[in-house]
Amino acid sequence: LLSYSQMVLPIYRYIETAGWTGAAKKIIRSEKMKINKQKTFEVFLYVVRIAIGCMFIYSSLPKIRQPYDFLASVYSYELVGPKLGMFIAMTLPFLELIVGVCLIGGIFTGGALLAGIAMSAMFSYVLGSALYHNLEITCGCFGAGATEIITYKTLIRAVIILSACGLAYVVQIVHISAASATQKTGLK
């Protein structure tokens, strides 16, 4: 099958030779703008995927190496009981690692971005709860070695990560998927 540009551009060139150059140039220019817009979305998605993926991998490794320290961090938020806290401490670091690897590798990116949105939303809620209850604790984001006390700056950083994951997911679904469907069918 021919792509949309392979089918349409020869027609525009014919129109141009027939003397309708103004209309043909506008159409060709608009096609080039669509291609540039598509490349911009692809670059944005790639940069966000790599950045968020690296962040998830970087944050998961200390938690995997020191699970009891991470368990103490989970308990310090005073939101879960012993069984749920243990479950979170055992699964969350590996989920972060898997999501990070998927984002960097470009594997199941839609699902990995959704998981990133869920984890970021959960973490933003947990940080907001800790700030609301005036807990003087470290966030536990990057293992026990991080000694930064939770502040609104930490919450803003978590919301920015959540927003980046959400925006990347929207770009993935709306623009990239629509463009690939257009290329497969040859329709606009």
Side-chain angles (χ1 to χ4, degrees), residues 49-124:
R49 270 191 18 224
I50 298 300
I52 299 294
C54 287
M55 187 228 27
F56 277 135
I57 290 172
Y58 181 72
S59 71
S60 71
L61 294 178
K63 296 172 192 171
I64 292 171
R65 276 183 271 160
Q66 300 167 334
Y68 292 110
D69 292 338
F70 180 58
L71 179 62
S73 293
V74 170
Y75 288 149
S76 68
Y77 282 95
E78 300 175 3
L79 289 174
V80 295
K83 290 182 181 179
L84 185 58
M86 181 69 78
F87 177 75
I88 290 170
M90 288 175 15
T91 58
L92 187 63
F94 292 101
L95 181 62
E96 287 177 334
L97 181 64
I98 291 168
V99 167
V101 168
C102 286
L103 287 174
I104 290 174
I107 307 164
F108 305 119
T109 54
L113 286 169
L114 274 178
I117 290 168
M119 288 188 294
S120 299
M122 178 186 66
F123 189 59
S124 297

Side-chain angles (χ1 to χ4, degrees), residues 136-154:
E136 298 278 329
I137 58 174
T138 61
C139 77
C141 309
F142 301 104
T147 57
E148 178 186 356
I149 300 293
I150 293 174
T151 62
Y152 285 101
K153 177 183 167 187
T154 315

Side-chain angles (χ1 to χ4, degrees), residues 9-79:
L9 288 179
I11 295 170
Y12 296 138
R13 289 191 186 104
Y14 173 76
I15 291 170
E16 189 176 57
T17 59
W20 301 325
T21 56
K25 285 182 181 177
K26 284 182 184 177
I27 293 170
I28 291 171
R29 199 174 309 128
S30 71
E31 285 298 315
K32 286 181 182 178
M33 286 176 50
K34 288 178 188 173
I35 292 169
N36 288 340
K37 187 176 179 183
Q38 183 66 25
K39 289 289 183 197
T40 302
F41 285 131
E42 289 173 4
V43 167
F44 168 77
L45 183 60
Y46 180 77
V47 168
V48 169
R49 270 191 18 224
I50 298 300
I52 299 294
C54 287
M55 187 228 27
F56 277 135
I57 290 172
Y58 181 72
S59 71
S60 71
L61 294 178
K63 296 172 192 171
I64 292 171
R65 276 183 271 160
Q66 300 167 334
Y68 292 110
D69 292 338
F70 180 58
L71 179 62
S73 293
V74 170
Y75 288 149
S76 68
Y77 282 95
E78 300 175 3
L79 289 174

